[in-house]
């Protein structure tokens, strides 16, 4: 595999920092540009972040003295220094849309962690193990943008990264209804217990916009490419509630599922344990060897014990049993800033590299 030069747009934020740590020793990718807001532009990465480094591991030495570029004003310069960028910025939705399209039109592909383009019909929203075939829509997107290399690909919301992978191996049984209650870590809000003391010993029963994303984004992921756009699936019917809980990392979901064609419990577990996607077949660097892990212990998965499974890229499932209102219920867990954010975007980029879209 060739080596790729990459940039991080939004490098000073929590997800940007996570990108930096994941890319420090990546076998395919080398960080050659960092960009952020005008407040950070012109400073070194170390100066710009200051005391706000939020990762457990130190800032990569190779990036400490890199000078931050202006994410909005230096688009052409960033594009000249990289083969593609990862983007995780804190801006208004329309501003993010414009920014990402500006990079794409500068012939710089964008691997987006933002929500702005998730429902754009010709922008693939990829969970690599589930809908890798959606990358085919990129050709139509390039025609719309008038680009040869440039395009935007997005990863889905972190709240559904645990339960959508668990439901996916059951979809051939005509899943009709899903109820998903998510219990989401504070890092999903870009916070730590030090920066958000109000979250300690507290449960907050509202996360703005999260339930709509949790109910609608899966239908795009389970959709199909047709006439240059992604046509959303018409089922299952999904309802959700999303709560912020006092956990540092790891989103847990309590999931209830009904389907037309029943399955025995052991067959469901077997489907989970044996499921493989394109990343496993291609042996991509960030891909977990086993995507879905089922725990037979009655008190697993637990965020503290299981969120870092397979470098935080696996999904943990447990407590499968029949339900009185739905057919089955279970609990699942994913690491929200790894599988759910930066790690998922890196895996998406690896998939696109392997398929030739970033050459």
């Amino acid at each position: 595999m060739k080596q790729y030069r990459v940039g991080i747009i939004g490098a000073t934020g929590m997800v940007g920092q996570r990108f930096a740590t994941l890319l420090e020793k990546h076998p395919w990718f080398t960080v050659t540009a960092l960009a952020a807001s005008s407040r950070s532009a012109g400073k070194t990465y170390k100066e710009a972040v200051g005391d706000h480094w939020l990762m457990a591991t130190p800032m990569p030495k190779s990036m400490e003295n890199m000078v931050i570029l202006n994410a909005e004003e230096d688009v052409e310069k960033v594009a000249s220094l990289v083969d593609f960028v990862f983007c995780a910025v804190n801006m208004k939705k329309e501003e993010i849309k414009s920014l990402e399209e500006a990079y794409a039109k500068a012939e710089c592909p964008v691997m987006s962690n933002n929500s702005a383009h998730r429902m754009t019909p010709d922008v693939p929203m990829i969970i690599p193990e589930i809908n890798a075939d959606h990358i085919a829509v990129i050709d139509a997107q390039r025609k719309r943008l008038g680009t040869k290399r440039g395009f935007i690909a997005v990863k889905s919301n972190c709240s559904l990264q645990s339960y959508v992978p668990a439901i996916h191996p059951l979809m051939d049984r005509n899943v009709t209804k899903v109820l998903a209650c998510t219990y989401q870590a504070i890092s999903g809000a870009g916070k730590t217990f030090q920066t958000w003391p109000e979250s300690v010993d507290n449960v907050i029963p509202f996360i703005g916009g999260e339930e709509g994303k949790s109910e609608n984004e899966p239908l795009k992921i389970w959709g199909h490419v047709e006439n240059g756009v992604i046509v959303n699936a018409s089922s299952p019917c999904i309802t959700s509630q999303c709560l912020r809980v006092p956990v540092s990392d790891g989103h847990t979901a309590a999931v209830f599922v009904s389907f037309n064609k029943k399955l025995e419990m052991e067959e469901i577990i077997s489907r989970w344990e044996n499921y493989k996607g394109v990343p496993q077949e291609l042996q991509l660097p960030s891909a977990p060897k086993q995507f879905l892990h089922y725990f037979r212990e009655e008190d697993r998965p637990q965020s503290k014990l299981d969120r870092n499974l397979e470098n935080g890229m696996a999904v943990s499932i447990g407590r499968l049993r029949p339900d009185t209102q739905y057919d089955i219920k279970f609990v699942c867990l994913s690491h929200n800033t790894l599988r759910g954010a930066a790690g998922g975007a890196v895996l998406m980029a690896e998939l696109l590299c392997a398929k030739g879209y970033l050459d």
Side-chain angles (χ1 to χ4, degrees), residues 101-157:
E101 287 205 0
Y103 278 95
K105 289 178 179 179
E107 300 295 358
C108 179
V110 178
M111 308 295 111
S112 177
N113 190 75
N114 307 302
S115 65
H117 273 294
R118 284 186 192 146
M119 302 313 288
T120 302
D122 60 5
V123 171
M125 179 168 59
I126 299 171
I127 297 178
E129 285 88 350
I130 293 177
N131 63 335
D133 59 312
H134 283 197
I135 63 177
V137 81
I138 289 171
D139 296 333
Q141 185 194 147
R142 282 172 167 164
K143 288 180 182 178
R144 174 176 65 85
L145 295 175
T147 60
K148 293 181 179 179
R149 287 191 73 249
F151 66 89
I152 302 162
V154 301
K155 54 153 291 299
S156 65
N157 187 263

Side-chain angles (χ1 to χ4, degrees), residues 9 71-72 87 89-96 99 114:
I9 311 300
E72 295 180 89
C87 187
V89 294
N90 183 16
M91 299 166 62
K92 294 179 181 177
K93 183 175 180 178
E94 291 305 316
E95 294 173 345
I96 295 172
L99 182 70
N114 307 302

Side-chain angles (χ1 to χ4, degrees), residues 208-239:
E210 201 77 359
E211 287 157 3
K213 296 171 187 175
S214 297
E215 294 170 358
N216 294 312
E217 289 184 16
L219 299 178
K220 183 173 182 180
I221 291 166
W222 283 320
H224 66 279
V225 177
E226 182 180 324
N227 297 325
V229 297
I230 297 167
V231 179
N232 288 6
S234 58
S235 62
C237 179
I238 304 171
T239 186

Side-chain angles (χ1 to χ4, degrees), residues 257-290:
V257 178
S258 289
F259 31 67
N260 284 335
K261 302 176 182 178
K262 302 296 190 294
L263 284 169
E264 296 297 323
M265 297 296 148
E266 286 300 321
E267 183 180 346
I268 294 172
I269 294 170
S270 176
R271 285 179 176 226
W272 285 335
E273 292 179 336
N274 293 300
Y275 183 81
K276 295 184 185 299
V278 174
Q280 287 71 40
E281 294 167 3
L282 296 177
Q283 298 183 331
L284 299 177
S286 298
K289 288 183 172 58
Q290 185 172 331

Side-chain angles (χ1 to χ4, degrees), residues 13-15 18 54-55 113 158 184-193 195-196 199 244-251 307 334-338 341:
M14 178 178 280
V15 176
R18 179 68 79 181
L54 302 173
M55 299 295 105
N113 190 75
C158 56
Q184 301 183 206
I186 61 172
S187 56
K191 306 286 189 180
T192 65
F193 289 123
T195 62
W196 197 13
S199 66
R244 190 74 71 192
V245 295
V247 172
S248 58
D249 292 299
H251 287 355
R307 60 192 170 203
S334 62
H335 195 301
N336 55 295
T337 68
L338 288 169

